[in-house]
Amino acid sequence: MDLKPSDNDTYFAYVETNQGNPRDSHAAVGTSMLQPDSAESKRILRKVDLRVIPILAILYFLSFLDRGNIGNANVQGLSTSLNLKGNEYNWGLTIFFFPYSFTEPLCNILLVRLKPSIWLPSIMVAWGVVTTLTGLIQNYSGLLAVRFFLGLSEAGLFPGLAFYVSLWYPRSNAQFRLALIFASASMAGAFSGLLAYLIVKMDGVAGLEGWRWIFILEGILTVVIAIFSYLFVWDEPQSATFLSEQEKAVLLELLNDTGTKVAADPQLGHSHSFEWRHVKAAIFDWQTWFHCLGYWGAAVAVYALSLFLPTIIKGLGYSAANAQLLTIPVYFAATVSCLLVGYFADRTGQRGLFTAGCYITIFVGYVIAVAPPRFIPGLTYASCFIAACGIYPAIPGLLALSSNNFAPTSKRAVGMAIQMGFGTMGGAAASNFYRTSDAPRYRLGHGLVLAFAGLGMVVMISYYFICRAINTKRDKNAESTPQYTSAELVDMGDRAPTFRYKL
C-alpha cells in the first residue's frame, strides 16, 4: 500500500507503527488501522467521551466560577466593604493574571513530568481553599493576596486541559471536545449570576455580608469536588483501564495524525516524558507567536465580558439583583453558540474559517456598543449577546488549531502553554478597561476590546493563509524530499516534510 505524505490520518500511523524508512512503498500498513470516521473508532471515542469530558468540564466550570465570582461579589458590595478607592478594584482583578500567565508553561511541564490524575485535582484543592479564604479578607491588601494566589493555583488548569484533550482525541475530533469543556465557562457565568442572587440572601448569617458567602460556599464546593476528582481523572490512553487492549491500539493509531508516538507503555510521569530542547523549539517556532496574538485578542474579550458583564448590565439601570439574573440569557446564548460552532467546525474540518467567523461576530458586537452617538441601553445589552456568541466559541477554535499544529507532544504542551500564558495577559489588560468614571456606557472599554479583537482577527486570517502556503509547498516537494527514518520524522514533528497543518 502506497501512502502519500498528504494523507495525515494514515501516514503518521504508518510512520509510527512500522520500522525503517516510511517512504518504502513495499511496507504494508496493518489492516486493523481505522480512520476517525469509522464505526469502531466512533464507538471508542464515545466511550472516551463518557470517562474524560464530564470531569474536565466540571473542573473548568468551577475554575471559571471561582475566578469570575468577584464580579458578582462587587455588585453586592465588595468594594464598599473593603473601602476600595480609585482603581484598587481593577488592580485586584489585574494581579490574578500575572502568576496565572507566567507560570502556565511551567505548569504544563509539571503535568507532563507528573500525571494528570495527581496534578489536576491537587491544584483544584489549592484554588478552592484560596477562594474560600477570599470570603474572609478585610482590606485591599488581603484582596491582592488572595487574587495573586488564586491566579497561581489556577494557572495549571486550562493549558493542562487543552493539552490533555490532545492526548485522547485525533486532530479532526478535538474542537468539539474543547467546546464541550469551554462551554462550561459560559455556563459558569450563567450559574454565577444565579448562585450569587440566591447566596446573597444569606447576608448577615454568622455576621458576614452576602458577598462573602459567595466565595465561602463556592470555594468549599470546589474543594469537595476536587477530592472526589482524584478518582475520576485518567492519565492517558495507555493506562486507561476502561479501554481493552484492542481499543487502546485503535485509539493510539487514530492519535498518530498528531505526531504522537505509539507505545504500549504509559508516556507521562517519567523522566523521558519531556525534553528541554522542545521548550526552545516551541519558543522560537513562528506559529507560537501567531497563536499568542490570536489568543490575546479573544482573551481580552472573554475576560472583559466575564469580569464586567454584571457591572455593565447594572449600569443600564437595573438593580444589583436583577443585573445578576440578566447575565444568564447572555451566557446561555454563548453556551449554545460554543457547542454549535465546535460541532460544525469538526464536522466540516474548517475550524480556521469558523474561528475567523467568531472574530467577525465579536467585532460586530462591540461596534454596536461603540458606534451609536448616544447611549442606548437596549442596544448595549444586545451587543453583549452578539459579542458573547463570538467570544466563547473562538477560544476552543484557537486551541484546536494550536493543538492540531504543534508536534511532537512535549513541544505541543509548551507551545500551547505559551500561547495561553501570553494571551491570558489580555485578561490583565481587560481588567483595567472598564473604569467607574466611564459608566454607564463604558465606551473606552468597549473600544479597546474592539481594537484587540480586530488585531486577533487579522493575525489568525494571516496564519490561515501562511499554513496553506506551507502545505502547498510540501505537497509540491513531496517527491524530492529526503528520506527519513520513522524516529526522525516523529522527532521533527510539525517541521517534518510529511506533516500538514490542519486548518
Side-chain angles (χ1 to χ4, degrees), residues 279-363:
V279 175
K280 180 179 179 181
I283 292 173
F284 292 102
D285 193 300
W286 68 272
Q287 63 171 326
T288 298
W289 301 105
F290 275 78
H291 288 308
C292 285
L293 291 173
Y295 194 82
W296 172 283
V300 165
V302 76
Y303 282 109
L305 192 75
S306 63
L307 293 173
F308 292 101
L309 184 59
T311 302
I312 292 170
I313 294 177
K314 185 180 179 183
L316 303 182
Y318 297 98
S319 66
N322 287 335
Q324 306 280 21
L325 293 176
L326 285 171
T327 63
I328 296 174
V330 176
Y331 285 119
F332 177 78
T335 301
V336 173
S337 175
C338 186
L339 295 176
L340 288 176
V341 171
Y343 175 79
F344 285 107
D346 271 358
R347 188 177 180 88
T348 62
Q350 297 293 329
R351 55 179 53 96
L353 296 179
F354 275 92
T355 302
C358 291
Y359 267 117
I360 292 171
T361 304
I362 299 170
F363 196 83

Side-chain angles (χ1 to χ4, degrees), residues 212-239:
R212 295 182 183 275
W213 283 110
I214 294 175
F215 293 112
I216 293 170
L217 294 183
E218 292 179 2
I220 291 173
L221 175 65
T222 297
V223 173
V224 171
I225 293 179
I227 293 171
F228 281 102
S229 69
Y230 280 103
L231 304 174
F232 297 103
V233 176
W234 299 88
D235 289 322
E236 55 187 321
Q238 290 95 324
S239 60

